[in-house]
């Protein structure tokens, strides 16, 4: 029996007296595209932080492909093949686009301690970097410092960095935040191709993206799972509509 | 190890602890307020001692010095904050500024007063010793104890029970919110910095007759000061009091049992505490 | 193009002592090893964004190591001395690095100060090994490069060439390090430490490596200092030197190699010239230090600003505010 790509059991997280996550259970199949939505304050960011290792849960477990990764550090989780992209652009601003992705690839290829080699001469790193940049249509901008890219390009770089570590599970935090409708649909297609043969979990507020891309959707509300189901099931659920007070966003 | 000896030593420890409190109360609040490690704070303490020497040499009485020196240092501290630190562009810049001030004061002291330690005579009125249950104890030190205890009570009252104190604590807790509530945070900073410096100067004046005027005072007191602030928590006067009294005992007893290593005590303690809890004992940001 | 420039500088540097008087050559030698010391300090500052108030730890410990080695082996070899120094530097930077790697900003600076002060204290008290505050006189080793007879070139010039060679080696080591994957990881830490962790980098180990490289360079400078002075005292581990190197960085402006070298040269020049003008040269230097920090040229404040902006940057949620 294959393990779920991600299995979360009874996750709790409190900050002092404030209970942010109150028993989350979730199992995500390998290759699935899964969206997590919910009103503000539902606990989505906290949940993502627990999955990527920034926060430790105060209770419960996280299993990644059958392996217990509860409470591991972000670096350890990344090395196991979980890649995270952030809502607020979180790249290396003074480095060029190519150098940014190179850094991710180099870590994944475990050449960090090869101190007898110069990084820009390692062919395997360079070719993989090129592949990723071309897939995300950033190769033409490879020498531009990351801090000087247009916003849409920076969003793509966020994802490129995430891909650099060849993850099998992608955790994306509002990948379409701040994009207009046209960029959004382009981004959706990009996300679709980028997540071929990978498991994708994303937090999103843009319902068009969610309904176009996700296989299943989980709605979080006040730290609990309200419903997990297909986009249609979620859309037609009365409980979800009540939680959102009659509208989304 | 007679009871008398233990008693005397313990009392030494309390006196030392109280002096340390006067020095660090201001530092702790300043660090809580401004989030910088003020390396120059020990220099202000040292200046307190040396200005007392200068005042006495100019013919002033000890009592006059005790009054004037803190005032002078208040002015010095407030103007330092106003003219220098306020223009700091970043926390690095702050650090560098205080570090450079530390050097400047050190070199100034060396120039004006030379490298040899200078004695600071206590006033006639306070010379001699007083009979306590466990032995005779210098009157001057009892005076220091009395004065600093009174000041401690005053400071705690001010900090915990008055509007001024609440204002300061508000700015420590959340400067943005305090501004939004209409508190003039830059004036608060200036006054607190000045007051902290004045207290350090007062400590310098009081401790002159006990520890002498020594150009190495600024550097040797540095680690003791910071360990108190780290242990007691930034921005906490109560914490500074408790931690100072503890450090006072630690220092005094280590001088007695391990005289050669005593100076390293605060260093080792500081390293140990930060190694164990890199975020400080109370989880404050650096 | 850059390589050509470096080669030219080295040639000029090598030829200079033949033309200068012995005392001028001595000053030039001092500039050379202080440059290496300043470069090692700037390395930590530029690439890790860490301000160290006790950078002379490896410098001073290496100086003592060299002095102790040559005192017990008057005919010892310089090669062995330098290897010893590298070993001492690695041990010292790793041990102190273990304490430092979780710290940032003000805490980091204070901790470096505490560690160096502790070393100063031990050096002052451990009379058996270090002669305490009296310091260790050292029997200066003869520098005997192959192919040059002792009479053709004086020891002063040979020491200068040795300093130049070590400077080039040390700076070269740092430059090479930056081009390796590990060096890139170090730069990533300055740019965005949390993201580097999310890529899978073990940030604490990378910091340790950077401390080691910087410490080795500082240690090499300390070894030269010992040979140059012929005498090592706790001053090598004291506050004064840690302040001096910061000042050199401020004078020299931003940059990883040329800047600190300029700063070291300017500072050495100042130290040499000031006693002629005033009986309190250290006071004047302190005033200049404050002035520099206050009115610091755009270059350095640009660096400081950049680093601070990165530090203040919102790293995604470190757990205080739930969402």
């Amino acid at each position: 029996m294959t393990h779920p790509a991600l299995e979360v059991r009874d996750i709790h997280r409190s900050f002092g007296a404030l209970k942010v996550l109150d028993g989350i259970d979730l199992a995500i199949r390998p290759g699935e595209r899964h969206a997590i939505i919910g009103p503000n304050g539902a606990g989505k960011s906290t949940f993502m932080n627990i999955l990527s290792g920034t926060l430790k849960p105060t209770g419960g477990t996280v299993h990644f492909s059958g392996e217990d990764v509860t409470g591991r550090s972000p670096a350890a989780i990344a090395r196991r093949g979980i890649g995270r992209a952030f809502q607020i652009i979180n790249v290396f601003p003074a480095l060029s686009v190519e150098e940014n992705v190179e850094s991710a690839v180099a870590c994944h290829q475990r050449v960090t301690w090869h101190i007898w080699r110069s990084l820009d001469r390692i062919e395997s790193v360079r070719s993989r970097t090129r592949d990723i940049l071309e897939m995300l249509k950033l190769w033409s901008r490879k020498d531009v410092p990351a801090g000087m890219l247009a916003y849409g390009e920076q969003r793509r770089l966020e994802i490129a960095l995430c891909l650099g570590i060849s993850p099998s599970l992608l955790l994306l935090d509002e990948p379409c935040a701040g994009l207009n409708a046209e960029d959004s649909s382009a981004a959706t297609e990009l996300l679709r191709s980028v997540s071929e043969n990978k498991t994708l979990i994303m937090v999103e507020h843009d319902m068009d993206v969610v309904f176009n891309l996700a296989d299943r959707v989980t709605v979080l509300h006040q730290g609990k799972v309200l419903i997990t189901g297909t986009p249609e099931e979620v859309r037609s659920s009365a409980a979800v509509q009540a939680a959102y007070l009659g509208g989304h966003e | 190890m007679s009871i008398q000896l233990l008693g005397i030593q313990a009392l030494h420890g309390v006196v030392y602890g109280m002096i340390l409190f006067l020095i660090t109360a201001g530092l702790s609040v300043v660090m809580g307020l401004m989030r910088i490690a003020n390396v120059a704070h020990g220099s202000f303490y040292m200046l307190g001692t040396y200005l007392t020497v200068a005042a006495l040499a100019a013919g002033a009485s000890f009592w006059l010095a005790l009054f004037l020196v803190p005032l002078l240092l208040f002015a010095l501290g407030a103007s330092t904050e106003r003219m220098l630190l306020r223009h700091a562009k970043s926390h690095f810049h702050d650090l560098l500024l205080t570090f450079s001030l530390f050097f400047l004061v050190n070199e100034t002291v060396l120039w004006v007063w030379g490298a040899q330690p200078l004695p600071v005579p206590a006033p006639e009125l306070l010379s001699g010793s007083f009979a306590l249950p466990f032995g005779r104890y210098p009157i001057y030190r009892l005076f220091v104890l009395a004065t600093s205890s009174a000041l401690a009570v005053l400071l705690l009252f001010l900090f915990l029970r008055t509007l001024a104190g609440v204002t300061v604590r508000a700015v420590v807790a959340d400067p943005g919110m305090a501004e939004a509530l209409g508190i003039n945070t830059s004036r608060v900073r200036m006054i607190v910095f000045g007051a902290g410096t004045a207290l350090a100067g007062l400590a310098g004046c009081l401790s002159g007759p006990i520890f002498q005027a020594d150009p190495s005072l600024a550097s040797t007191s540095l680690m003791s000061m910071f360990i108190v602030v780290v242990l007691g928590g930034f921005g906490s006067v109560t914490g500074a009091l408790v931690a100072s009294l503890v450090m006072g005992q630690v220092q005094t007893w280590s001088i007695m049992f391990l005289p050669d290593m005593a100076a390293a005590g605060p260093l080792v303690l500081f390293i140990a505490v930060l190694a164990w809890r890199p975020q400080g004992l109370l989880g404050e940001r650096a | 193009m850059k390589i050509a420039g470096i080669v030219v500088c080295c040639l000029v540097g090598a030829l200079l002592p033949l033309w200068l008087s012995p005392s001028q050559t001595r000053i030039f030698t001092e500039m050379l090893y202080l440059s290496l010391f300043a470069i090692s300090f700037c390395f930590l500052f530029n690439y890790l964004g860490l301000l160290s108030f006790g950078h002379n730890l490896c410098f001073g410990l290496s100086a003592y190591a060299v002095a102790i080695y040559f005192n017990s082996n008057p005919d010892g070899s310089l090669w062995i001395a330098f290897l010893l120094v590298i070993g001492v530097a690695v041990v010292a930077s790793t041990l102190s690095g273990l304490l430092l790697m979780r710290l940032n900003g003000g805490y980091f600076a204070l901790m470096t100060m505490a560690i160096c002060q502790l070393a100063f204290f031990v050096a002052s008290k451990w009379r058996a090994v270090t002669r305490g505050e009296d310091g260790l006189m050292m029997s200066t080793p003869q520098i005997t490069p192959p192919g040059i007879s002792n009479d053709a070139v004086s020891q002063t010039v040979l020491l200068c060439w040795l300093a130049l060679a070590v400077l080039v080696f040390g700076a070269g080591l740092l430059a090479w390090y930056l081009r390796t994957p590990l060096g890139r990881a170090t730069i990533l830490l300055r740019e965005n430490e949390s993201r580097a962790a999310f890529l899978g980098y073990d940030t604490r180990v990378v910091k340790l490596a950077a401390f080691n490289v910087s410490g080795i360079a500082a240690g090499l400078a300390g070894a030269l200092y010992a040979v140059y002075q012929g005498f090592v005292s706790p001053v090598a581990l004291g506050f004064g030197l840690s302040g001096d190197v910061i000042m050199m960085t401020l004078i020299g402006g931003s940059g990883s190699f040329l800047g600190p070298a300029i700063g070291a040269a300017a500072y050495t020049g100042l130290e040499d010239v000031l006693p002629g003008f005033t009986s309190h040269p250290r006071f004047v230097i302190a005033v200049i230090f404050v002035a520099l920090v206050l009115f610091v040229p755009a270059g350095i404040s640009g660096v400081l600003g950049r680093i601070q902006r990165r530090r203040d940057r919102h790293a995604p949620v470190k757990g205080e505010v739930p969402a």
Side-chain angles (χ1 to χ4, degrees), chain C:
Chain C
M1 202 56 250
K2 250 209 249 181
I3 310 273
I6 294 172
V7 169
V8 167
C9 283
C10 289
L11 276 176
V12 169
L15 292 173
L16 214 47
L18 298 172
W19 179 61
L20 295 171
S21 77
S23 60
Q24 287 169 329
T25 307
R26 291 272 296 172
I27 296 178
F28 184 56
T29 311
E30 193 176 354
M31 287 184 190
L32 289 174
Y33 74 74
L34 284 179
S35 293
L36 184 56
F37 184 38
I39 288 172
S40 76
F41 173 84
C42 276
F43 178 79
L44 271 189
F45 189 60
N46 275 336
Y47 293 102
L48 278 181
L50 292 172
L51 182 62
S52 168
F53 280 164
H55 198 72
N56 47 332
L57 179 70
C58 289
F59 182 89
L61 286 177
S62 301
Y64 268 108
V66 166
I68 294 170
Y69 170 72
F70 280 115
N71 277 349
S72 17
N73 313 0
D75 294 318
S77 128
L78 274 169
W79 287 106
I80 298 196
F82 277 104
L83 279 175
L84 183 64
V85 155
I86 291 179
V88 166
V90 166
V91 170
S93 17
T94 307
L95 287 179
S96 57
L98 288 171
L99 293 167
L100 290 165
M101 62 189 183
R102 292 188 289 173
L103 302 174
N104 275 317
Y107 275 135
F108 179 86
L110 286 178
M111 184 63 123
T112 55
M113 197 190 259
I115 295 175
C116 200
Q117 273 290 81
L118 193 58
F120 175 85
F121 177 79
V122 169
S124 314
K125 298 285 183 192
W126 200 10
R127 296 197 65 91
V129 170
T130 65
R131 302 276 164 75
E133 299 194 344
D134 297 333
L136 272 180
M137 288 294 294
M138 185 178 113
S139 46
T140 321
Q142 285 283 85
I143 304 174
T144 47
I148 303 181
S149 80
N150 274 3
D151 303 326
V153 182
S154 72
Q155 282 292 303
T156 315
V157 173
L158 285 172
L159 180 58
C160 186
W161 284 348
L162 177 66
L164 187 61
V166 173
L167 169 62
V168 169
F169 175 74
L173 186 69
L174 290 175
W176 172 250
Y177 175 81
L178 287 169
R179 297 180 58 202
T180 64
L182 194 54
R184 169 66 62 78
T186 311
I187 296 174
L188 291 183
L189 286 196
R190 179 197 63 181
E191 289 288 302
N192 194 337
E193 186 168 343
S194 68
R195 193 65 199 264
F198 281 115
L199 291 180
Y201 284 102
D202 190 338
T203 55
R204 295 196 282 189
V205 173
V206 174
K207 274 192 194 172
L208 267 185
F211 290 151
N212 267 290
V213 173
S214 165
I216 290 176
L220 289 173
L224 287 172
Y225 163 85
V227 175
Y228 174 85
Q229 302 262 14
F231 170 75
V232 181
S233 76
V235 162
L237 288 164
F239 268 137
L241 211 56
S242 56
D244 292 347
V245 77
I246 296 177
M247 226 181 112
M248 288 180 219
T249 309
L250 289 174
I251 297 176
S254 64
S256 318
F257 296 104
L258 201 53
I262 294 176
Y267 178 83
T268 315
L270 254 185
E271 262 210 321
D272 188 59
V273 150
L274 275 178
F277 288 100
T278 161
S279 47
H280 301 279
R282 297 245 12 128
F283 175 76
V284 175
I285 285 181
V287 171
I288 296 178
F289 193 5
V290 176
L292 275 175
V293 176
L294 274 179
F295 306 117
V296 119
I300 280 283
S301 68
V303 173
L304 289 177
R306 241 195 306 136
I307 294 176
Q308 187 60 35
R309 251 178 276 131
R310 238 165 262 126
R311 291 253 160 250
D312 288 340
R313 221 144 81 77
H314 240 64
V317 196
K318 248 312 179 157
E320 278 122 5
V321 178

